[in-house]
Each structure stands twice: as structure tokens, then as C-alpha cells.
């Protein structure tokens, strides 16, 4: 059964460094999402992406964040200058076209900013 | 803005018993979806069951069923005949229903309930 994959599973970086989190959505899906979960807090929506552009972003998704679908298979989240408060689990999800509501999730990348 | 509340951080149940996880939500929308997602340890979240708000009938998927009370804004999950493999984090989530192409359909999440099924 097709799955969403994410790499790396754990990333440790120093404050101020750039990180790129990678996701490979399910191949025939057209809608892509990033969510994050800070330890002990709710999962939060960051951004949705459709037709090669952002369709919605949350207040969290400021200028330090960007998303890209560089090659038709990968979907990346870049944080330009990481802060301590960016430490969280980042989940990628994808959804097929049409009226379906189900989002399929990757296993997450744990980002630790020191 | 929509909010989802899960008031039970942890629960446990004996194998083969029945357990109910609670979820309440707040919204001014009339059309929406509600979901229960399961996240086993170190694995990805998978959809357990979903409910369309316009449907009065409660959704059922094998051993999983919901009690959807729209007026009370309550959406509980019942797991019957609990199995060891049901041990996981369970998240309740809300999605506003929109009908145009390209809509983002973001999920609004509860804090989760950690369920342990004991042998």
C-alpha cells in the first residue's frame, strides 16, 4: 500500500541554521500539507499546497518558512533560520483530488534546535 | 475559530473490553467533518473513522464506532473488543467542509488521548 515517507526521521540543528525537511507524498495525490506538534501541545496546521502554490498558511508560517515541490515527487519544508521554538515533530500529509477528505500522513521528522 | 478538546490525556482498558474516548468541539459551521486518527508508537497517523456532520447516522468501522451528538458538539469514539494492537495515541480532528476545487481542507486537532490496552 502506498505511504507518505519523510526524511530524516530526526534532525538536530543549531539555532540560526537552515533546515530542509523532506516528504514524498503518495504519487497520485495533489494536495499537500505540513503540520507540526510541539511536545505536549496540539498538532497545528502550518501550510497547504496545491497546483504548485500555497493555498493556505497559518500565522506560524512566517517568512522563515517556505515550501517547494521541486521535482514532482518531493515536497519540502524549509526553515531558513531556526529558533529554539521550532523544535517539534513535523508531519507531512497528502490527499488525492476530488471530494475525498482523508489525509495520509508520514511518520514525521523530529526537529531539535539547540 | 474552531477548537477541539480531548479531556482524557490517558486511558487504559483490558483486552477484549470496550472503551470510549471523548471529544468535544466548538464551531459555528454547519457543514463539517469529524475524524478520529490513530497513531501507534513510532508509526504514522492513520484514519480510524470519519463522520460527516450532515449525516445523522453514526459512523461505524468494524470494532470502531462513534457517538456523534451535533447539538452537543460531541464526538466520542467507542472501541469494542479492544485488542493489544489498539494501543496508540488517538486524535480527534475537525475539518470545515468546503466544496470548491483547490480548497485546502486543513485539520484542526485535539490534544490526543493515549490509550493502553492491557493483556
Amino acid at each position: 500500500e502506498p505511504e507518505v515517507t519523510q526524511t530524516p526521521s530526526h534532525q538536530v540543528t543549531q539555532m540560526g541554521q537552515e533546515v530542509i525537511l523532506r516528504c514524498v507524498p503518495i504519487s497520485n495525490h495533489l494536495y499537500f500539507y505540513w503540520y507540526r506538534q510541539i511536545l505536549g501541545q496540539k498538532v497545528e496546521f502550518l501550510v497547504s499546497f496545491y497546483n504548485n502554490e500555497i493555498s493556505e498558511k497559518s500565522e506560524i508560517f512566517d517568512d522563515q518558512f517556505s515550501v517547494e515541490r521541486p521535482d514532482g515527487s518531493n515536497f519540502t519544508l524549509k526553515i531558513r533560520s531556526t529558533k529554539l521554538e521550532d523544535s517539534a515533530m513535523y508531519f507531512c500529509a497528502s490527499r488525492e483530488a476530488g471530494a475525498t477528505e482523508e489525509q495520509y500522513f508520514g511518520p514525521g521528522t523530529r526537529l531539535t534546535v539547540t | 475559530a474552531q477548537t477541539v478538546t480531548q479531556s482524557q490525556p490517558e486511558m487504559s482498558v483490558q483486552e477484549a473490553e470496550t472503551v470510549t474516548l471523548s471529544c468535544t468541539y466548538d464551531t459555528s459551521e454547519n457543514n463539517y467533518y469529524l475524524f478520529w486518527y490513530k497513531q501507534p508508537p513510532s508509526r504514522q497517523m492513520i484514519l480510524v473513522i470519519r463522520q460527516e456532520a450532515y449525516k445523522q447516522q453514526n459512523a461505524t468501522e468494524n470494532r470502531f464506532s462513534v457517538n456523534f451528538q451535533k447539538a452537543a458538539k460531541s464526538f466520542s469514539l467507542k472501541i469494542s473488543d479492544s485488542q493489544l494492537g489498539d494501543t496508540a495515541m488517538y486524535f480527534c480532528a475537525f475539518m470545515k467542509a468546503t466544496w470548491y476545487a483547490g480548497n485546502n481542507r486543513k485539520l484542526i486537532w485535539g490534544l490526543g488521548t493515549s490509550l493502553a490496552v492491557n493483556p
Side-chain angles (χ1 to χ4, degrees):
Chain A
E1 188 172 332
E3 286 188 336
V4 176
T5 60
Q6 289 185 243
T7 54
S9 56
H10 190 193
Q11 172 98 42
V12 181
T13 190
Q14 288 191 325
M15 196 167 52
Q17 296 296 304
E18 176 183 285
V19 294
I20 297 176
L21 309 184
R22 290 183 167 80
C23 169
V24 179
I26 294 173
S27 61
N28 64 335
H29 286 190
L30 298 181
Y31 299 84
F32 313 110
Y33 305 84
W34 284 101
Y35 294 86
R36 80 171 185 189
Q37 185 180 28
I38 296 171
L39 189 64
Q41 297 185 23
K42 291 183 178 182
V43 177
E44 302 170 289
F45 167 77
L46 290 179
V47 65
S48 58
F49 192 85
Y50 169 73
N51 200 26
N52 284 318
E53 61 183 21
I54 291 174
S55 50
E56 185 175 347
K57 58 184 180 180
S58 70
E59 293 175 354
I60 304 166
F61 196 88
D62 61 21
D63 292 344
Q64 293 300 313
F65 290 87
S66 62
V67 288
E68 195 176 33
R69 189 158 161 79
D71 56 13
S73 61
N74 290 282
F75 179 52
T76 61
L77 174 68
K78 182 193 292 186
I79 310 174
R80 287 189 186 81
S81 178
T82 50
K83 307 183 186 74
L84 294 176
E85 55 264 37
D86 294 328
S87 294
M89 185 72 105
Y90 288 80
F91 295 102
C92 171
S94 68
R95 177 170 72 85
E96 28 177 336
T100 182
E101 304 81 31
E102 182 173 356
Q103 295 179 20
Y104 292 78
F105 284 82
T109 292
R110 178 164 298 285
L111 176 65
T112 302
V113 182
T114 62
Chain B
Q2 293 83 22
T3 58
V4 177
T5 302
Q6 292 178 252
S7 57
Q8 305 152 315
E10 294 180 350
M11 292 192 73
S12 63
V13 64
Q14 292 299 121
E15 200 175 1
E17 298 290 304
T18 295
V19 64
T20 299
L21 309 184
S22 300
C23 173
T24 58
Y25 59 95
D26 190 26
T27 185
S28 58
E29 301 289 332
N30 194 44
N31 296 316
Y32 50 88
Y33 301 95
L34 294 163
F35 304 85
W36 279 98
Y37 275 86
K38 166 186 176 181
Q39 186 182 30
S42 303
R43 305 257 326 258
Q44 48 251 72
M45 281 187 274
I46 55 174
L47 181 65
V48 175
I49 197 165
R50 68 166 167 250
Q51 175 80 41
E52 293 90 340
Y54 65 86
K55 288 187 178 177
Q56 292 187 336
Q57 187 172 9
N58 289 322
T60 299
E61 287 286 342
N62 301 314
R63 296 181 297 107
F64 299 87
S65 62
V66 298
N67 183 4
F68 172 50
Q69 302 288 327
K70 190 172 183 179
K73 296 180 182 171
S74 170
F75 182 61
S76 61
L77 174 70
K78 185 170 84 170
I79 306 174
S80 305
D81 186 26
S82 297
Q83 300 175 359
L84 296 178
D86 295 333
T87 292
M89 196 74 169
Y90 286 82
F91 293 96
C92 178
F94 171 99
M95 177 192 289
K96 188 168 71 171
T98 52
W99 312 107
Y100 56 90
N103 73 85
N104 74 82
R105 299 196 176 179
K106 67 183 179 187
L107 288 162
I108 309 296
W109 299 83
L111 200 49
T113 296
S114 178
L115 176 68
V117 180
N118 301 314

